[in-house]
PDB file of all heavy atoms in Angstrom:
ATOM      1  N   ILE H   1       0.855  -1.191   0.000  1.00 93.00           N
ATOM      2  CA  ILE H   1       0.000   0.000   0.000  1.00 93.00           C
ATOM      3  C   ILE H   1       0.890   1.239   0.000  1.00 93.00           C
ATOM      4  O   ILE H   1       1.851   1.338   0.766  1.00 93.00           O
ATOM      5  CB  ILE H   1      -0.923   0.016   1.237  1.00 93.00           C
ATOM      6  CG1 ILE H   1      -1.845  -1.218   1.207  1.00 93.00           C
ATOM      7  CG2 ILE H   1      -1.754   1.283   1.298  1.00 93.00           C
ATOM      8  CD1 ILE H   1      -2.678  -1.374   2.470  1.00 93.00           C
ATOM      9  N   ASP H   2       0.555   2.188  -0.839  1.00 91.00           N
ATOM     10  CA  ASP H   2       1.313   3.425  -0.961  1.00 91.00           C
ATOM     11  C   ASP H   2       1.263   4.191   0.356  1.00 91.00           C
ATOM     12  O   ASP H   2       0.195   4.571   0.833  1.00 91.00           O
ATOM     13  CB  ASP H   2       0.722   4.264  -2.095  1.00 91.00           C
ATOM     14  CG  ASP H   2       1.570   5.489  -2.418  1.00 91.00           C
ATOM     15  OD1 ASP H   2       2.458   5.826  -1.616  1.00 91.00           O
ATOM     16  OD2 ASP H   2       1.316   6.105  -3.474  1.00 91.00           O
ATOM     17  N   LEU H   3       2.437   4.453   0.941  1.00 91.00           N
ATOM     18  CA  LEU H   3       2.473   5.155   2.225  1.00 91.00           C
ATOM     19  C   LEU H   3       2.005   6.593   2.104  1.00 91.00           C
ATOM     20  O   LEU H   3       1.560   7.193   3.098  1.00 91.00           O
ATOM     21  CB  LEU H   3       3.893   5.112   2.801  1.00 91.00           C
ATOM     22  CG  LEU H   3       4.349   3.741   3.325  1.00 91.00           C
ATOM     23  CD1 LEU H   3       5.795   3.816   3.786  1.00 91.00           C
ATOM     24  CD2 LEU H   3       3.451   3.273   4.464  1.00 91.00           C
ATOM     25  N   ALA H   4       2.073   7.169   0.911  1.00 92.00           N
ATOM     26  CA  ALA H   4       1.551   8.522   0.727  1.00 92.00           C
ATOM     27  C   ALA H   4       0.051   8.561   0.968  1.00 92.00           C
ATOM     28  O   ALA H   4      -0.487   9.530   1.518  1.00 92.00           O
ATOM     29  CB  ALA H   4       1.882   9.025  -0.677  1.00 92.00           C
ATOM     30  N   ILE H   5      -0.649   7.479   0.565  1.00 90.00           N
ATOM     31  CA  ILE H   5      -2.088   7.395   0.798  1.00 90.00           C
ATOM     32  C   ILE H   5      -2.367   7.247   2.290  1.00 90.00           C
ATOM     33  O   ILE H   5      -3.289   7.858   2.832  1.00 90.00           O
ATOM     34  CB  ILE H   5      -2.686   6.205   0.008  1.00 90.00           C
ATOM     35  CG1 ILE H   5      -2.540   6.441  -1.494  1.00 90.00           C
ATOM     36  CG2 ILE H   5      -4.149   5.986   0.372  1.00 90.00           C
ATOM     37  CD1 ILE H   5      -2.992   5.279  -2.350  1.00 90.00           C
ATOM     38  N   VAL H   6      -1.524   6.452   2.969  1.00 90.00           N
ATOM     39  CA  VAL H   6      -1.697   6.267   4.410  1.00 90.00           C
ATOM     40  C   VAL H   6      -1.535   7.603   5.131  1.00 90.00           C
ATOM     41  O   VAL H   6      -2.314   7.939   6.032  1.00 90.00           O
ATOM     42  CB  VAL H   6      -0.686   5.233   4.941  1.00 90.00           C
ATOM     43  CG1 VAL H   6      -0.789   5.123   6.463  1.00 90.00           C
ATOM     44  CG2 VAL H   6      -0.931   3.865   4.298  1.00 90.00           C
ATOM     45  N   ARG H   7      -0.531   8.356   4.736  1.00 90.00           N
ATOM     46  CA  ARG H   7      -0.313   9.655   5.377  1.00 90.00           C
ATOM     47  C   ARG H   7      -1.499  10.585   5.132  1.00 90.00           C
ATOM     48  O   ARG H   7      -1.944  11.309   6.041  1.00 90.00           O
ATOM     49  CB  ARG H   7       0.979  10.296   4.859  1.00 90.00           C
ATOM     50  CG  ARG H   7       1.284  11.603   5.571  1.00 90.00           C
ATOM     51  CD  ARG H   7       2.532  12.296   5.056  1.00 90.00           C
ATOM     52  NE  ARG H   7       2.786  13.501   5.837  1.00 90.00           N
ATOM     53  CZ  ARG H   7       3.580  13.564   6.898  1.00 90.00           C
ATOM     54  NH1 ARG H   7       4.226  12.464   7.303  1.00 90.00           N
ATOM     55  NH2 ARG H   7       3.734  14.687   7.559  1.00 90.00           N
ATOM     56  N   LYS H   8      -2.027  10.581   3.920  1.00 91.00           N
ATOM     57  CA  LYS H   8      -3.178  11.433   3.616  1.00 91.00           C
ATOM     58  C   LYS H   8      -4.376  11.078   4.497  1.00 91.00           C
ATOM     59  O   LYS H   8      -5.085  11.950   5.002  1.00 91.00           O
ATOM     60  CB  LYS H   8      -3.551  11.300   2.136  1.00 91.00           C
ATOM     61  CG  LYS H   8      -4.702  12.209   1.723  1.00 91.00           C
ATOM     62  CD  LYS H   8      -5.019  12.053   0.243  1.00 91.00           C
ATOM     63  CE  LYS H   8      -6.181  12.962  -0.150  1.00 91.00           C
ATOM     64  NZ  LYS H   8      -6.524  12.815  -1.601  1.00 91.00           N
ATOM     65  N   LEU H   9      -4.584   9.770   4.702  1.00 89.00           N
ATOM     66  CA  LEU H   9      -5.679   9.328   5.560  1.00 89.00           C
ATOM     67  C   LEU H   9      -5.457   9.788   6.998  1.00 89.00           C
ATOM     68  O   LEU H   9      -6.408  10.173   7.700  1.00 89.00           O
ATOM     69  CB  LEU H   9      -5.813   7.804   5.503  1.00 89.00           C
ATOM     70  CG  LEU H   9      -6.355   7.227   4.195  1.00 89.00           C
ATOM     71  CD1 LEU H   9      -6.261   5.710   4.201  1.00 89.00           C
ATOM     72  CD2 LEU H   9      -7.805   7.655   3.988  1.00 89.00           C
ATOM     73  N   LEU H  10      -4.218   9.739   7.456  1.00 88.00           N
ATOM     74  CA  LEU H  10      -3.918  10.218   8.809  1.00 88.00           C
ATOM     75  C   LEU H  10      -4.227  11.709   8.937  1.00 88.00           C
ATOM     76  O   LEU H  10      -4.803  12.152   9.936  1.00 88.00           O
ATOM     77  CB  LEU H  10      -2.451   9.969   9.141  1.00 88.00           C
ATOM     78  CG  LEU H  10      -2.051   8.553   9.574  1.00 88.00           C
ATOM     79  CD1 LEU H  10      -0.542   8.484   9.781  1.00 88.00           C
ATOM     80  CD2 LEU H  10      -2.772   8.143  10.853  1.00 88.00           C
ATOM     81  N   GLU H  11      -3.848  12.471   7.924  1.00 90.00           N
ATOM     82  CA  GLU H  11      -4.104  13.908   7.963  1.00 90.00           C
ATOM     83  C   GLU H  11      -5.600  14.205   7.977  1.00 90.00           C
ATOM     84  O   GLU H  11      -6.053  15.150   8.631  1.00 90.00           O
ATOM     85  CB  GLU H  11      -3.426  14.576   6.771  1.00 90.00           C
ATOM     86  CG  GLU H  11      -1.895  14.560   6.863  1.00 90.00           C
ATOM     87  CD  GLU H  11      -1.227  15.035   5.593  1.00 90.00           C
ATOM     88  OE1 GLU H  11      -1.942  15.165   4.570  1.00 90.00           O
ATOM     89  OE2 GLU H  11       0.001  15.260   5.612  1.00 90.00           O
ATOM     90  N   GLU H  12      -6.399  13.391   7.252  1.00 90.00           N
ATOM     91  CA  GLU H  12      -7.849  13.578   7.258  1.00 90.00           C
ATOM     92  C   GLU H  12      -8.438  13.179   8.616  1.00 90.00           C
ATOM     93  O   GLU H  12      -9.309  13.860   9.163  1.00 90.00           O
ATOM     94  CB  GLU H  12      -8.490  12.750   6.150  1.00 90.00           C
ATOM     95  CG  GLU H  12      -8.165  13.238   4.751  1.00 90.00           C
ATOM     96  CD  GLU H  12      -8.755  12.338   3.681  1.00 90.00           C
ATOM     97  OE1 GLU H  12      -9.342  11.289   4.043  1.00 90.00           O
ATOM     98  OE2 GLU H  12      -8.632  12.669   2.487  1.00 90.00           O
ATOM     99  N   THR H  13      -7.929  12.069   9.165  1.00 87.00           N
ATOM    100  CA  THR H  13      -8.461  11.561  10.434  1.00 87.00           C
ATOM    101  C   THR H  13      -8.178  12.533  11.571  1.00 87.00           C
ATOM    102  O   THR H  13      -9.041  12.764  12.436  1.00 87.00           O
ATOM    103  CB  THR H  13      -7.842  10.187  10.751  1.00 87.00           C
ATOM    104  OG1 THR H  13      -8.135   9.282   9.687  1.00 87.00           O
ATOM    105  CG2 THR H  13      -8.404   9.639  12.064  1.00 87.00           C
ATOM    106  N   PHE H  14      -6.975  13.093  11.577  1.00 86.00           N
ATOM    107  CA  PHE H  14      -6.581  13.973  12.679  1.00 86.00           C
ATOM    108  C   PHE H  14      -6.535  15.443  12.241  1.00 86.00           C
ATOM    109  O   PHE H  14      -5.675  16.207  12.670  1.00 86.00           O
ATOM    110  CB  PHE H  14      -5.216  13.542  13.226  1.00 86.00           C
ATOM    111  CG  PHE H  14      -5.213  12.159  13.812  1.00 86.00           C
ATOM    112  CD1 PHE H  14      -4.521  11.129  13.178  1.00 86.00           C
ATOM    113  CD2 PHE H  14      -5.908  11.880  14.977  1.00 86.00           C
ATOM    114  CE1 PHE H  14      -4.527   9.845  13.707  1.00 86.00           C
ATOM    115  CE2 PHE H  14      -5.908  10.600  15.512  1.00 86.00           C
ATOM    116  CZ  PHE H  14      -5.228   9.573  14.884  1.00 86.00           C
ATOM    117  N   ALA H  15      -7.490  15.809  11.386  1.00 85.00           N
ATOM    118  CA  ALA H  15      -7.516  17.184  10.881  1.00 85.00           C
ATOM    119  C   ALA H  15      -7.635  18.197  12.015  1.00 85.00           C
ATOM    120  O   ALA H  15      -7.093  19.297  11.946  1.00 85.00           O
ATOM    121  CB  ALA H  15      -8.668  17.353   9.893  1.00 85.00           C
ATOM    122  N   ARG H  16      -8.350  17.818  13.081  1.00 86.00           N
ATOM    123  CA  ARG H  16      -8.528  18.737  14.205  1.00 86.00           C
ATOM    124  C   ARG H  16      -7.400  18.619  15.230  1.00 86.00           C
ATOM    125  O   ARG H  16      -7.318  19.437  16.147  1.00 86.00           O
ATOM    126  CB  ARG H  16      -9.871  18.462  14.884  1.00 86.00           C
ATOM    127  CG  ARG H  16     -11.084  18.743  13.981  1.00 86.00           C
ATOM    128  CD  ARG H  16     -12.378  18.540  14.742  1.00 86.00           C
ATOM    129  NE  ARG H  16     -13.547  18.829  13.904  1.00 86.00           N
ATOM    130  CZ  ARG H  16     -14.815  18.747  14.348  1.00 86.00           C
ATOM    131  NH1 ARG H  16     -15.049  18.397  15.605  1.00 86.00           N
ATOM    132  NH2 ARG H  16     -15.813  19.019  13.526  1.00 86.00           N
ATOM    133  N   LYS H  17      -6.566  17.600  15.085  1.00 87.00           N
ATOM    134  CA  LYS H  17      -5.445  17.415  16.011  1.00 87.00           C
ATOM    135  C   LYS H  17      -4.191  17.076  15.193  1.00 87.00           C
ATOM    136  O   LYS H  17      -3.674  15.958  15.254  1.00 87.00           O
ATOM    137  CB  LYS H  17      -5.746  16.301  17.012  1.00 87.00           C
ATOM    138  CG  LYS H  17      -6.941  16.591  17.917  1.00 87.00           C
ATOM    139  CD  LYS H  17      -7.190  15.440  18.880  1.00 87.00           C
ATOM    140  CE  LYS H  17      -8.369  15.731  19.796  1.00 87.00           C
ATOM    141  NZ  LYS H  17      -8.629  14.609  20.748  1.00 87.00           N
ATOM    142  N   PRO H  18      -3.711  18.026  14.398  1.00 84.00           N
ATOM    143  CA  PRO H  18      -2.593  17.733  13.485  1.00 84.00           C
ATOM    144  C   PRO H  18      -1.322  17.280  14.195  1.00 84.00           C
ATOM    145  O   PRO H  18      -0.475  16.620  13.588  1.00 84.00           O
ATOM    146  CB  PRO H  18      -2.385  19.077  12.768  1.00 84.00           C
ATOM    147  CG  PRO H  18      -3.013  20.100  13.659  1.00 84.00           C
ATOM    148  CD  PRO H  18      -4.162  19.421  14.319  1.00 84.00           C
ATOM    149  N   GLN H  19      -1.204  17.587  15.494  1.00 84.00           N
ATOM    150  CA  GLN H  19       0.000  17.186  16.216  1.00 84.00           C
ATOM    151  C   GLN H  19       0.098  15.668  16.373  1.00 84.00           C
ATOM    152  O   GLN H  19       1.178  15.143  16.696  1.00 84.00           O
ATOM    153  CB  GLN H  19       0.049  17.853  17.608  1.00 84.00           C
ATOM    154  CG  GLN H  19      -0.997  17.372  18.595  1.00 84.00           C
ATOM    155  CD  GLN H  19      -2.341  18.077  18.459  1.00 84.00           C
ATOM    156  OE1 GLN H  19      -2.583  18.752  17.456  1.00 84.00           O
ATOM    157  NE2 GLN H  19      -3.191  17.938  19.466  1.00 84.00           N
ATOM    158  N   LEU H  20      -1.012  14.970  16.130  1.00 86.00           N
ATOM    159  CA  LEU H  20      -1.018  13.508  16.270  1.00 86.00           C
ATOM    160  C   LEU H  20      -0.574  12.798  14.996  1.00 86.00           C
ATOM    161  O   LEU H  20      -0.352  11.588  15.012  1.00 86.00           O
ATOM    162  CB  LEU H  20      -2.409  13.015  16.674  1.00 86.00           C
ATOM    163  CG  LEU H  20      -2.926  13.448  18.051  1.00 86.00           C
ATOM    164  CD1 LEU H  20      -4.335  12.925  18.274  1.00 86.00           C
ATOM    165  CD2 LEU H  20      -2.000  12.936  19.149  1.00 86.00           C
ATOM    166  N   VAL H  21      -0.458  13.528  13.881  1.00 88.00           N
ATOM    167  CA  VAL H  21      -0.136  12.889  12.608  1.00 88.00           C
ATOM    168  C   VAL H  21       1.249  12.261  12.648  1.00 88.00           C
ATOM    169  O   VAL H  21       1.429  11.082  12.314  1.00 88.00           O
ATOM    170  CB  VAL H  21      -0.242  13.900  11.448  1.00 88.00           C
ATOM    171  CG1 VAL H  21       0.260  13.260  10.149  1.00 88.00           C
ATOM    172  CG2 VAL H  21      -1.687  14.363  11.284  1.00 88.00           C
ATOM    173  N   GLU H  22       2.246  13.003  13.068  1.00 88.00           N
ATOM    174  CA  GLU H  22       3.610  12.506  13.025  1.00 88.00           C
ATOM    175  C   GLU H  22       3.825  11.337  13.978  1.00 88.00           C
ATOM    176  O   GLU H  22       4.517  10.365  13.649  1.00 88.00           O
ATOM    177  CB  GLU H  22       4.588  13.634  13.343  1.00 88.00           C
ATOM    178  CG  GLU H  22       4.684  14.692  12.252  1.00 88.00           C
ATOM    179  CD  GLU H  22       5.083  14.100  10.912  1.00 88.00           C
ATOM    180  OE1 GLU H  22       5.898  13.147  10.892  1.00 88.00           O
ATOM    181  OE2 GLU H  22       4.565  14.576   9.881  1.00 88.00           O
ATOM    182  N   SER H  23       3.239  11.398  15.173  1.00 89.00           N
ATOM    183  CA  SER H  23       3.421  10.306  16.127  1.00 89.00           C
ATOM    184  C   SER H  23       2.763   9.023  15.626  1.00 89.00           C
ATOM    185  O   SER H  23       3.316   7.927  15.782  1.00 89.00           O
ATOM    186  CB  SER H  23       2.868  10.694  17.501  1.00 89.00           C
ATOM    187  OG  SER H  23       1.510  11.090  17.394  1.00 89.00           O
ATOM    188  N   ASN H  24       1.604   9.146  14.995  1.00 90.00           N
ATOM    189  CA  ASN H  24       0.943   7.964  14.440  1.00 90.00           C
ATOM    190  C   ASN H  24       1.709   7.434  13.238  1.00 90.00           C
ATOM    191  O   ASN H  24       1.804   6.219  13.038  1.00 90.00           O
ATOM    192  CB  ASN H  24      -0.501   8.291  14.045  1.00 90.00           C
ATOM    193  CG  ASN H  24      -1.468   8.191  15.212  1.00 90.00           C
ATOM    194  OD1 ASN H  24      -1.987   7.123  15.515  1.00 90.00           O
ATOM    195  ND2 ASN H  24      -1.692   9.296  15.894  1.00 90.00           N
ATOM    196  N   LEU H  25       2.249   8.340  12.441  1.00 91.00           N
ATOM    197  CA  LEU H  25       3.030   7.902  11.295  1.00 91.00           C
ATOM    198  C   LEU H  25       4.287   7.160  11.751  1.00 91.00           C
ATOM    199  O   LEU H  25       4.706   6.175  11.133  1.00 91.00           O
ATOM    200  CB  LEU H  25       3.410   9.106  10.424  1.00 91.00           C
ATOM    201  CG  LEU H  25       4.078   8.776   9.095  1.00 91.00           C
ATOM    202  CD1 LEU H  25       3.163   7.912   8.233  1.00 91.00           C
ATOM    203  CD2 LEU H  25       4.458  10.047   8.352  1.00 91.00           C
ATOM    204  N   GLN H  26       4.860   7.612  12.858  1.00 91.00           N
ATOM    205  CA  GLN H  26       6.024   6.912  13.399  1.00 91.00           C
ATOM    206  C   GLN H  26       5.657   5.488  13.811  1.00 91.00           C
ATOM    207  O   GLN H  26       6.409   4.537  13.550  1.00 91.00           O
ATOM    208  CB  GLN H  26       6.582   7.686  14.594  1.00 91.00           C
ATOM    209  CG  GLN H  26       7.848   7.063  15.180  1.00 91.00           C
ATOM    210  CD  GLN H  26       8.382   7.856  16.357  1.00 91.00           C
ATOM    211  OE1 GLN H  26       7.893   8.933  16.663  1.00 91.00           O
ATOM    212  NE2 GLN H  26       9.401   7.315  17.018  1.00 91.00           N
ATOM    213  N   ALA H  27       4.499   5.337  14.438  1.00 93.00           N
ATOM    214  CA  ALA H  27       4.041   4.001  14.836  1.00 93.00           C
ATOM    215  C   ALA H  27       3.801   3.125  13.610  1.00 93.00           C
ATOM    216  O   ALA H  27       4.124   1.924  13.593  1.00 93.00           O
ATOM    217  CB  ALA H  27       2.768   4.115  15.673  1.00 93.00           C
ATOM    218  N   ILE H  28       3.253   3.721  12.565  1.00 94.00           N
ATOM    219  CA  ILE H  28       3.012   2.974  11.329  1.00 94.00           C
ATOM    220  C   ILE H  28       4.338   2.501  10.727  1.00 94.00           C
ATOM    221  O   ILE H  28       4.455   1.360  10.272  1.00 94.00           O
ATOM    222  CB  ILE H  28       2.225   3.856  10.332  1.00 94.00           C
ATOM    223  CG1 ILE H  28       0.760   3.970  10.782  1.00 94.00           C
ATOM    224  CG2 ILE H  28       2.301   3.278   8.917  1.00 94.00           C
ATOM    225  CD1 ILE H  28      -0.063   4.924   9.965  1.00 94.00           C
ATOM    226  N   MET H  29       5.335   3.369  10.740  1.00 94.00           N
ATOM    227  CA  MET H  29       6.625   2.997  10.159  1.00 94.00           C
ATOM    228  C   MET H  29       7.305   1.891  10.963  1.00 94.00           C
ATOM    229  O   MET H  29       8.032   1.064  10.403  1.00 94.00           O
ATOM    230  CB  MET H  29       7.527   4.220  10.072  1.00 94.00           C
ATOM    231  CG  MET H  29       7.070   5.251   9.037  1.00 94.00           C
ATOM    232  SD  MET H  29       6.743   4.516   7.401  1.00 94.00           S
ATOM    233  CE  MET H  29       8.350   3.806   7.003  1.00 94.00           C
ATOM    234  N   LEU H  30       7.077   1.869  12.283  1.00 93.00           N
ATOM    235  CA  LEU H  30       7.620   0.766  13.083  1.00 93.00           C
ATOM    236  C   LEU H  30       7.043  -0.558  12.617  1.00 93.00           C
ATOM    237  O   LEU H  30       7.754  -1.557  12.477  1.00 93.00           O
ATOM    238  CB  LEU H  30       7.313   0.993  14.570  1.00 93.00           C
ATOM    239  CG  LEU H  30       8.092   2.114  15.267  1.00 93.00           C
ATOM    240  CD1 LEU H  30       7.530   2.348  16.676  1.00 93.00           C
ATOM    241  CD2 LEU H  30       9.574   1.755  15.356  1.00 93.00           C
ATOM    242  N   GLY H  31       5.747  -0.583  12.376  1.00 95.00           N
ATOM    243  CA  GLY H  31       5.120  -1.804  11.872  1.00 95.00           C
ATOM    244  C   GLY H  31       5.577  -2.131  10.469  1.00 95.00           C
ATOM    245  O   GLY H  31       5.818  -3.302  10.131  1.00 95.00           O
ATOM    246  N   TYR H  32       5.698  -1.093   9.632  1.00 96.00           N
ATOM    247  CA  TYR H  32       6.117  -1.298   8.238  1.00 96.00           C
ATOM    248  C   TYR H  32       7.529  -1.888   8.177  1.00 96.00           C
ATOM    249  O   TYR H  32       7.777  -2.880   7.477  1.00 96.00           O
ATOM    250  CB  TYR H  32       6.075   0.050   7.513  1.00 96.00           C
ATOM    251  CG  TYR H  32       6.380  -0.027   6.038  1.00 96.00           C
ATOM    252  CD1 TYR H  32       5.349  -0.129   5.114  1.00 96.00           C
ATOM    253  CD2 TYR H  32       7.689   0.010   5.563  1.00 96.00           C
ATOM    254  CE1 TYR H  32       5.611  -0.186   3.758  1.00 96.00           C
ATOM    255  CE2 TYR H  32       7.970  -0.056   4.211  1.00 96.00           C
ATOM    256  CZ  TYR H  32       6.923  -0.159   3.310  1.00 96.00           C
ATOM    257  OH  TYR H  32       7.180  -0.231   1.962  1.00 96.00           O
ATOM    258  N   ASP H  33       8.457  -1.285   8.920  1.00 96.00           N
ATOM    259  CA  ASP H  33       9.847  -1.751   8.895  1.00 96.00           C
ATOM    260  C   ASP H  33       9.977  -3.161   9.468  1.00 96.00           C
ATOM    261  O   ASP H  33      10.752  -3.985   8.952  1.00 96.00           O
ATOM    262  CB  ASP H  33      10.731  -0.785   9.694  1.00 96.00           C
ATOM    263  CG  ASP H  33      10.847   0.575   9.007  1.00 96.00           C
ATOM    264  OD1 ASP H  33      10.572   0.654   7.795  1.00 96.00           O
ATOM    265  OD2 ASP H  33      11.180   1.561   9.702  1.00 96.00           O
ATOM    266  N   TYR H  34       9.193  -3.453  10.520  1.00 96.00           N
ATOM    267  CA  TYR H  34       9.280  -4.801  11.112  1.00 96.00           C
ATOM    268  C   TYR H  34       8.811  -5.854  10.111  1.00 96.00           C
ATOM    269  O   TYR H  34       9.458  -6.897   9.944  1.00 96.00           O
ATOM    270  CB  TYR H  34       8.428  -4.873  12.382  1.00 96.00           C
ATOM    271  CG  TYR H  34       8.510  -6.223  13.055  1.00 96.00           C
ATOM    272  CD1 TYR H  34       9.511  -6.516  13.980  1.00 96.00           C
ATOM    273  CD2 TYR H  34       7.605  -7.240  12.733  1.00 96.00           C
ATOM    274  CE1 TYR H  34       9.606  -7.760  14.578  1.00 96.00           C
ATOM    275  CE2 TYR H  34       7.691  -8.496  13.319  1.00 96.00           C
ATOM    276  CZ  TYR H  34       8.691  -8.750  14.250  1.00 96.00           C
ATOM    277  OH  TYR H  34       8.791  -9.988  14.828  1.00 96.00           O
TER     278      TYR H  34
END
């Protein structure tokens, strides 16, 4: 799955709390790399 699409979904989900985007993306990358 294209990670750019995943990031876009995160930005839509946390539109009211943008500070959560990067921390969630970090968690996603931990799963992706593993």
Side-chain angles (χ1 to χ4, degrees):
I1 299 173
D2 188 346
L3 288 176
I5 295 175
V6 175
R7 184 182 183 94
K8 183 179 180 181
L9 289 172
L10 280 177
E11 291 171 348
E12 292 177 355
T13 301
F14 297 111
R16 296 184 179 181
K17 297 180 179 180
Q19 68 276 14
L20 295 178
V21 173
E22 290 303 324
S23 55
N24 276 274
L25 188 60
Q26 183 180 353
I28 286 174
M29 291 309 301
L30 289 172
Y32 184 95
D33 292 341
Y34 182 87

